[in-house]
Amino acid sequence: MKTRRMTMAQALIAFLKQQHVERDGREYAFFAGVLGIFGHGNVAGIGQALKENLDFPYILMRNEQAGVHMAAGFAKASNRLRTFACTSSIGPGATNMITGAALATINRLPVLLLPGDIFARRNVAPVLQQLESPTTQDTGVNDCFKPVSRYWDRIYRPEQLITSLPEAMRVLTSPSDCGAVTLALPQDVQTEAFDYPEELFRKRVWLIRRGEPDRISLERAVQAICAAERPLIVCGGGVLMSEASQALSDFAGRTGVPVAETQAGKGALAWNHAQVVGAIGATGSLAANRLANAADVVIGIGTRYSDFTTASMTAFQNPNVKFVNINTAEFDAYKVGAIPVVADARVALEQLGTAAGAFKVSAAYAAEIAELKAKWDAEVDRLFDLGRESSLSQVSKARPGAPVGDRKPAQSEVIGAMWEAAGERDVLLSAAGSHPGDLHKLWRTRAPNGYHMEYGYSCMGYEIPGAMGAKMADPSREVFVFLGDGTYLMAPAEIATSVQEGVKIIIVLVDNGGFASIGSLSRSLGQGGFGTRYRLRDAKSGQLDGAALQVDFAANARSLGAHAIKAGTLGELKKALEDAKAMDRTTVIVVETDASIGVPGYDSWWDVAVAEVSEMESVREARARYEEARKRERHHL
Ligand SMILES: Cc1ncc(C[n+]2csc(CCOP(=O)(O)OP(=O)(O)O)c2C)c(N)n1
Ligand SMILES: [Mg+2]
């Protein structure tokens, strides 16, 4: 057997460079490089190996968590056909990646994490940053990755790579099991040499399978659909990951079945496709939620049925509702008591289309869908421009403000301005705050992957590195980031990384003086927004109810190397967006909004439990409303 003598870290990098995936006859290099931060736990091992492999890009991040977010954003925008590996030192550098690991696993995105680990040799323990245990020497902080990883291993001996790496690749390229893969790398073992078989470093192409449905399951699904009077498709992220937009468009177009979108599935079809009725669930459109309420057969495609999608199990009220689930993951296919079709979305939709033959929804149902869609489109027009009279509105009483030139814009108007500025293939990206709900309702996605919302973990801090990942996945698309002031203050640092790498993103930073999202949630729970506003601690009250905390966001962004623009009105915002498009580096537009003008809910509900007993009258009232609303929650068995 031909062998090559290398350190464990050198072998690992040499292996990663050779991994490719293949789908539909196209091949992709699976790893675009390594992201991370060096410390004593990886500089001598992985760091040395990377220095020897300068053709394999290494990107220095500001925070290890952001490295994982960037890898996840890149993987999501690449429909899981590509990703990055992430390296960290031991201890805090490693645990910084745990949040990123959870995000990737929850969103079913492949990321490879390579945290440094304590000495396998042990004679010098405890090393700097080592967690000691009086009960075992076989535990450390990297064990915390276990529940958030789809595959976890610790490489105690250099030859263990030979059996571990193929397992890691199997999971990373699995359409059903992918998520974070963690290989904990003891810092001494990274530097140890071994005679690795040459075969380990051959070019390897992993096929991304398009699983075929089981014949009987498909027959039963077709039977259920063809017997339906009010069918509804719930389009989840799996549709995008499978690149099944055309198949879905054909199926929906031919049968007339309306398509409601989850956060992850939004944009698989363009907003103006005749069957698209918009967002479903807690942050859903009136059209989708009305149709869901009465649907008799729900066809869930590539969806996890999160509580936002099911409006905490209240979205589907037809007593006879049945579910058909198309999913690559058996785990998701069996949810809500569905007829499970365990298969790739594109393949299943094509076969379903053929088997369903001439099935078409009734003329009455088609007319109802068209009417609801038209009403919803008018409502979005209204919310995009509250300055215009709201006569178009059939459904909401949100007040239009004063003339738009004189006042701070509402958040929905900021969304409208961004939508107007964005081109056909551009990307809107966000993750946490009040805007994911508003964007889910209002953004009019024009092209697949044009709407990039991380809403599995809804993680503040994903946005900037996630956007860098999306931009790197397709530099021809402009990436617009919608960012709250809260999120900005939590994690602005990767702006410096975007400048370092020349990866331009446009950040619209909405300054609304704190947490509009959790603030309004708190008020709805009777808690008056406590602890959600950015205010000075008042000397008299001892509470955070003093004057507004002043933060110069534009100066802050500028200090990190970004171009920054302040926009006071909607007109200034529109101008700033045009300027940002013309810029060649990351641009931050700071806009203050009027948080009192929100986007209403549309026949929706989200279960957030309210205190069962309280001294506060407002909380007792909220609890009574809560108990009433919960009565609509259903089991689907
Ligand atoms: C890392 C993390 N911590 C806490 C939360 C809970 N959370 C959700 S939205 C939010 C407030 C976000 O504030 P901001 O970015 O200003 O957006 P706004 O709510 O004002 O729209 C918080 C704290 C979260 N999603 N992620
Ligand atoms: Mg805010």
Side-chain angles (χ1 to χ4, degrees):
M1 183 176 66
K2 231 181 132 216
T3 58
R4 219 194 285 177
R5 191 157 180 80
M6 306 164 92
T7 68
M8 181 260 257
Q10 291 161 1
L12 173 58
I13 299 302
F15 175 89
L16 297 184
K17 282 167 66 173
Q18 294 303 326
Q19 305 311 302
H20 297 72
V21 295
E22 162 196 353
R23 187 162 72 177
D24 305 329
R26 284 190 65 189
E27 199 177 290
Y28 310 81
F30 190 60
F31 294 102
V34 180
L35 313 172
I37 293 181
F38 295 139
H40 68 280
N42 60 342
V43 69
I46 296 285
Q48 189 281 332
L50 286 168
K51 172 70 178 154
E52 254 181 43
N53 286 276
L54 293 177
D55 58 337
F56 197 52
Y58 172 66
I59 297 180
L60 164 58
M61 306 297 298
R62 266 68 216 166
N63 184 312
E64 294 85 352
Q65 180 186 133
V68 190
H69 292 335
M70 184 166 155
F74 181 77
K76 182 174 162 82
S78 308
N79 297 330
R80 303 198 291 217
L81 296 169
R82 305 190 70 200
T83 188
F84 281 94
C86 302
T87 180
S88 79
S89 189
I90 75 165
T95 50
N96 268 356
M97 296 203 293
I98 291 172
T99 297
L103 181 150
T105 296
I106 287 168
N107 286 288
R108 318 278 162 87
L109 295 169
V111 295
L112 175 61
L113 310 184
L114 305 170
D117 209 318
I118 55 175
F119 268 65
R121 182 157 41 89
R122 292 185 179 167
N123 63 318
V124 291
V127 296
L128 179 66
Q129 301 168 332
Q130 174 167 350
L131 175 76
E132 289 182 276
S133 162
T135 55
T136 175
Q137 293 188 44
D138 191 26
T139 195
V141 295
N142 286 340
D143 291 271
C144 299
F145 282 97
K146 285 180 180 170
V148 291
S149 299
R150 283 302 182 98
Y151 182 79
W152 184 98
D153 207 351
R154 185 179 275 132
I155 310 295
Y156 286 111
R157 297 169 59 94
E159 61 266 45
Q160 287 174 353
L161 269 190
I162 302 167
T163 49
S164 201
L165 286 174
E167 290 304 310
M169 285 306 298
R170 173 183 61 77
V171 173
L172 288 168
T173 60
S174 163
S176 53
D177 289 344
C178 80
V181 166
T182 301
L183 299 181
L185 308 176
Q187 60 184 92
D188 51 346
V189 184
Q190 287 179 43
T191 64
E192 285 172 15
F194 184 77
D195 294 308
Y196 286 97
E198 199 55 60
E199 190 63 6
L200 186 64
F201 309 112
R202 73 176 164 86
K203 177 177 173 183
R204 199 133 172 198
V205 185
W206 301 78
L207 176 69
I208 308 283
R209 287 168 287 116
R210 286 200 179 276
E212 300 268 331
D214 163 67
R215 188 177 51 80
I216 295 174
S217 308
L218 190 78
E219 271 171 27
R220 292 187 181 158
V222 171
Q223 259 168 25
I225 293 166
C226 292
E229 283 170 17
R230 303 181 63 86
L232 173 73
I233 290 170
V234 176
C235 170
V239 176
L240 285 164
M241 294 302 116
S242 152
E243 296 174 351
S245 291
Q246 190 57 51
L248 177 59
S249 172
D250 292 348
F251 180 82
R254 201 155 359 99
T255 58
V257 178
V259 178
E261 310 164 302
T262 71
Q263 283 277 20
K266 185 174 167 75
L269 301 186
W271 69 280
N272 51 5
H273 186 288
Q275 266 63 51
V276 170
V277 291
I280 187 169
T283 51
S285 75
L286 189 75
N289 283 350
R290 286 266 162 93
L291 292 170
N293 186 60
D296 56 358
V297 173
V298 176
I299 309 165
I301 312 175
T303 175
R304 304 185 301 129
Y305 288 101
S306 84
D307 64 344
F308 266 78
T309 297
T310 66
S312 299
M313 290 297 174
T314 62
F316 309 107
Q317 291 292 337
N318 185 323
N320 300 316
V321 64
K322 282 196 187 68
F323 294 83
V324 171
N325 287 348
I326 298 170
N327 211 298
T328 49
E330 193 177 272
F331 176 67
D332 293 312
Y334 274 80
K335 286 178 178 173
V336 289
I339 299 171
V341 180
V342 181
D344 171 76
R346 185 199 284 184
V347 172
L349 275 164
E350 284 166 0
Q351 296 191 9
L352 211 58
T354 310
F359 170 76
K360 222 174 164 25
V361 300
S362 70
Y365 190 46
E368 187 183 332
I369 294 162
E371 193 190 330
L372 281 167
K373 182 175 169 66
K375 273 190 186 164
W376 178 248
D377 286 347
E379 174 68 350
V380 176
D381 283 338
R382 182 186 74 80
L383 288 159
F384 273 3
D385 187 356
L386 294 170
R388 215 168 45 186
E389 192 27 73
S390 63
S391 57
L392 290 171
S393 169
Q394 310 281 324
V395 284
S396 166
K397 298 186 174 52
R399 73 172 171 87
V404 78
D406 312 334
R407 60 170 169 87
K408 290 180 188 173
Q411 184 153 286
S412 70
E413 293 171 321
V414 173
I415 294 172
M418 289 173 76
W419 183 76
E420 269 170 38
E424 280 297 307
R425 296 185 63 256
D426 290 346
V427 179
L428 181 283
L429 185 145
S430 199
S434 56
H435 39 275
D438 294 356
L439 288 160
H440 191 211
K441 290 172 201 162
L442 305 182
W443 191 261
R444 291 171 157 174
T445 322
R446 298 158 167 124
N449 302 88
Y451 181 81
H452 183 135
M453 185 64 65
E454 189 286 290
Y455 214 64
Y457 211 36
S458 186
C459 182
M460 294 166 76
Y462 172 82
E463 296 86 343
I464 297 173
M468 288 179 63
K471 182 71 183 174
M472 288 181 79
D474 188 348
S476 71
R477 303 173 90 158
E478 198 83 75
V479 180
F480 292 85
V481 182
F482 199 115
L483 197 68
D485 52 340
T487 293
Y488 183 88
L489 287 176
M490 189 180 279
E494 303 307 325
I495 287 177
T497 313
S498 83
V499 174
Q500 161 194 301
E501 297 299 322
V503 176
K504 180 213 168 181
I505 55 177
I506 298 173
I507 299 169
V508 175
L509 194 170
V510 168
D511 179 0
N512 53 20
F515 305 164
S517 50
I518 308 301
S520 71
L521 179 61
S522 162
R523 284 189 294 280
S524 77
L525 306 178
Q527 296 165 206
F530 170 71
T532 63
R533 308 301 300 157
Y534 287 149
R535 305 218 157 243
L536 299 176
R537 189 165 298 282
D538 186 73
K540 265 212 199 102
S541 70
Q543 302 297 318
L544 291 182
D545 54 8
L549 184 72
Q550 298 295 332
V551 178
D552 190 338
F553 291 104
N556 188 285
R558 241 174 250 132
S559 78
L560 294 168
H563 179 61
I565 311 171
K566 278 188 192 174
T569 62
L570 203 53
E572 285 174 23
L573 173 64
K574 289 179 181 176
K575 163 92 177 48
L577 283 162
E578 291 311 312
D579 292 349
K581 285 198 282 184
M583 283 298 297
D584 60 357
R585 72 174 197 278
T586 291
T587 300
V588 178
I589 302 169
V590 183
V591 56
E592 284 183 32
T593 56
D594 182 343
S596 70
I597 316 175
V599 177
Y602 300 90
D603 287 7
S604 62
W605 155 251
W606 183 38
D607 188 338
V608 176
V610 184
E612 197 166 358
V613 291
S614 171
E615 302 284 300
M616 295 160 65
E617 174 64 25
S618 56
V619 172
R620 290 198 296 274
E621 281 167 19
R623 176 73 195 191
R625 286 196 301 275
Y626 172 72
E627 283 174 10
E628 196 49 40
R630 269 203 64 194
K631 290 183 183 157
R632 283 168 52 80
E633 290 182 4
R634 296 191 55 188
H635 290 291
H636 297 294
L637 299 169

